[in-house]
């Protein structure tokens, strides 16, 4: 079992979740935080079943930060 870092965003319409370190697009959504996590977990499983080891970027993500800048 591999641990995967997930970003969860809260929007006015609900939640969007996506994993870090994947090739391609893998996204889940839901009305709640838990629904979005469940949805993205299902999408990740499908992506791995479909593409196998090619699903992952070659470099491991050690740590994730969220920063905000004004431009």
């Amino acid at each position: 079992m591999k641990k995967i870092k997930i970003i969860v965003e809260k929007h006015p319409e609900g939640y969007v979740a996506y994993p870090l370190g994947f090739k391609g697009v893998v996204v889940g959504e839901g009305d709640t935080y838990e629904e979005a996590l469940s949805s993205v977990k299902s999408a990740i499983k499908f992506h791995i079943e479909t593409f196998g080891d090619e699903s992952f970027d070659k470099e491991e993500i050690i740590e994730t930060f969220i920063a905000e800048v004004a431009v």
Side-chain angles (χ1 to χ4, degrees):
M1 186 171 286
K2 182 176 176 93
K3 290 196 174 198
I4 298 167
K5 290 176 174 65
I6 306 292
I7 301 292
V8 181
E9 300 175 352
K10 184 176 181 181
H11 295 264
E13 304 83 28
Y15 293 81
V16 176
Y18 51 92
L20 299 177
F22 273 74
K23 293 180 183 174
V25 177
V26 181
V27 178
E29 59 86 29
D31 292 332
T32 67
Y33 179 89
E34 291 79 13
E35 287 176 1
L37 278 181
S38 178
S39 177
V40 78
K41 185 176 179 181
S42 177
I44 289 168
K45 287 180 180 180
F46 177 78
H47 197 78
I48 292 171
E49 288 171 4
T50 303
F51 299 106
D53 287 339
E54 293 299 314
S55 299
F56 301 99
D57 286 335
K58 298 302 177 200
E59 282 192 31
E60 178 185 1
I61 297 172
I62 298 169
E63 198 169 4
T64 304
F65 302 93
I66 295 177
E68 185 174 327
V69 298
V71 293

